[in-house]
Amino acid sequence: MTDELLVVRCQLGEREALAELVRAWHDPVWTYVRRMLDHGDADDVAQEVWLAVVRGLPRLREPGRFAPWLFTIARRAVTNRLREEYGRQETTTASGQVTEHADEQVVEDRAEVMADRAALVAGLSGLPLAEREILVLFYLEDLSIEDCAQICAIPVGTVKSRLSRARRLLREQLGERGTR
Amino acid sequence: MMDADDMIRRLSGPVSLRRRMAYVVALVMGLGGALAIGLLWATEERPPPVFGGFAVLCLAWACYGGWALTRRTPLFALDRVIGGWIAVAATWPLTLLTVALAVDRPGWAGWAGAAVNVVLALVAAFVLVRARSARAALLRRKRELGG
């Protein structure tokens, strides 16, 4: 069954169709969120994404363009979460209090990164956010250049140059890991 | 990691049909109740002050229903049709009642109330017609896609 048909059935109000849609797209959404956030908030953010998707589905004009729309919502949720985190980090740094919790988080992050089996995925965590995002969308989520451009709200040419820079950075990262 | 079935369970609240229809009922009945009580209050010679309290209570429910429907929960095509029917079922008898009241107790307040109710009834009918045509269009698209 195509995504468009699933979305149309959801818009009609068929609950089974919504369950099928979540089953089909939960893993890609979770993978994107996990790779962008690098820690255990992925479940909460993925839930925020799905709540926004469910609320927005009745207004989706082009059911055939579900995937870019879904990742645009996911990107917004990730951006909001990162903004909150940076805000918290700045407050903590300004007051000179690095909490025990933050240390635990770092240790946890390292443990999780070490647990990642694929070298590509492990290398991703060392890349800047913009480059990491474009690699995740293009290679892990199999989205087209045009869809990536729509999701990131940037021109197609910028997606291509960002992809090229991301590949170079990833190659360097993997090279460094290989020589250690 | 949360799996898809966990996520579906977590989403069961916002997509519960009963909950969404409860919001529609809160909106329609709150609005209708506030209008009816307001009209009674305006047409009584010595209205009891408790009418004001009831009207405010009804308005509060209407606001809550409206907020929940626009901010908290989705309304799919079938929900809109059901919601349209609820609005029609609530506003049309109320309109007849207020028109009868205006005829029985002539005065500006009675006619103003009746006019507002007529507008509400027409809006409800329009909402229902639009919801039905939107659902029909989606059903056509579903058939075209082989569903």
Side-chain angles (χ1 to χ4, degrees), chain B:
Chain B
M1 176 192 166
M2 193 194 299
D3 65 14
D5 288 322
D6 289 334
M7 188 59 75
I8 291 164
R9 268 191 294 279
R10 287 199 191 192
L11 293 173
S12 61
V15 297
S16 147
L17 182 64
R18 188 177 294 179
R19 185 185 290 192
R20 281 173 292 157
M21 286 307 109
Y23 291 142
V24 172
V25 169
L27 172 66
V28 172
M29 300 308 269
L31 212 56
L35 267 173
I37 293 169
L39 188 61
L40 277 174
W41 197 18
T43 52
E44 284 286 328
E45 282 182 17
R46 287 182 187 169
V50 74
F51 273 23
F54 281 139
V56 169
L57 191 70
C58 287
L59 272 181
W61 274 107
C63 288
Y64 174 67
W67 170 79
L69 286 173
T70 51
R71 295 277 167 189
R72 301 278 303 164
T73 192
L75 273 185
F76 296 110
L78 181 64
D79 311 337
R80 285 171 196 266
V81 173
I82 297 173
W85 276 116
I86 291 174
V88 165
T91 52
W92 282 76
L94 195 69
T95 303
L96 293 178
L97 185 76
T98 48
V99 169
L101 210 66
V103 171
D104 187 49
R105 302 176 192 182
W108 68 269
W111 285 114
V116 170
N117 267 309
V118 167
V119 171
L120 275 183
L122 291 176
V123 169
F126 175 70
V127 165
L128 177 60
V129 169
R130 256 188 63 174
R132 283 172 59 94
S133 69
R135 182 163 182 266
L138 280 172
L139 283 170
R140 267 198 307 277
R141 186 72 189 131
K142 181 184 166 185
R143 277 193 296 273
E144 282 167 13
L145 293 167

Side-chain angles (χ1 to χ4, degrees), chain A residues 8-49:
Chain A
V8 168
R9 286 179 55 207
C10 288
Q11 288 180 324
L12 279 165
E14 295 180 20
R15 285 191 70 165
E16 316 81 62
L18 185 65
E20 277 183 56
L21 192 72
V22 175
R23 279 195 197 99
W25 283 97
H26 175 69
D27 284 352
V29 167
W30 194 91
T31 305
Y32 170 76
V33 172
R34 174 70 182 78
R35 294 303 157 222
M36 294 305 295
L37 291 177
D38 260 352
H39 54 67
D41 281 354
D43 283 344
D44 288 346
V45 176
Q47 187 182 348
E48 281 172 31
V49 172

Side-chain angles (χ1 to χ4, degrees), chain A:
Chain A
M1 190 181 296
T2 63
D3 284 339
E4 184 173 3
L5 179 54
L6 262 184
V7 172
V8 168
R9 286 179 55 207
C10 288
Q11 288 180 324
L12 279 165
E14 295 180 20
R15 285 191 70 165
E16 316 81 62
L18 185 65
E20 277 183 56
L21 192 72
V22 175
R23 279 195 197 99
W25 283 97
H26 175 69
D27 284 352
V29 167
W30 194 91
T31 305
Y32 170 76
V33 172
R34 174 70 182 78
R35 294 303 157 222
M36 294 305 295
L37 291 177
D38 260 352
H39 54 67
D41 281 354
D43 283 344
D44 288 346
V45 176
Q47 187 182 348
E48 281 172 31
V49 172
W50 279 111
L51 277 173
V53 166
V54 166
R55 285 180 193 144
L57 260 180
R59 291 189 302 276
L60 178 59
R61 293 269 171 85
E62 294 179 77
R65 305 273 304 149
F66 175 73
W69 179 75
L70 171 68
F71 280 101
T72 305
I73 291 176
R75 184 173 194 264
R76 201 178 306 139
V78 165
T79 309
N80 288 343
R81 182 55 64 106
L82 288 172
R83 203 172 285 145
E84 280 171 24
E85 274 177 19
Y86 290 146
R88 269 202 302 270
Q89 278 171 10
E90 276 177 18
T91 312
T92 311
T93 313
S95 61
Q97 294 172 341
V98 179
T99 60
E100 204 172 302
H101 174 74
D103 291 339
E104 283 171 10
Q105 187 76 53
V106 171
V107 172
E108 198 176 297
D109 286 353
R110 280 182 191 155
E112 286 208 10
V113 169
M114 284 168 70
D116 283 335
R117 290 181 190 167
L120 170 76
V121 168
L124 278 175
S125 62
L127 296 186
L129 269 179
E131 281 72 19
R132 193 192 314 174
E133 175 176 54
I134 214 73
L135 283 180
V136 170
L137 290 174
F138 189 73
Y139 288 110
L140 294 184
E141 307 295 357
D142 277 334
L143 292 167
S144 67
I145 298 260
E146 288 73 22
D147 286 349
C148 293
Q150 187 188 334
I151 292 162
C152 300
I154 52 176
V156 169
T158 311
V159 173
K160 288 178 184 166
S161 60
R162 202 174 278 181
L163 259 177
S164 153
R165 189 166 63 244
R167 276 193 292 259
R168 181 172 49 79
L169 286 172
L170 185 64
R171 210 175 297 126
E172 286 169 12
Q173 283 264 340
L174 295 178
E176 277 176 25
R177 279 165 196 262
T179 52
R180 270 181 211 165

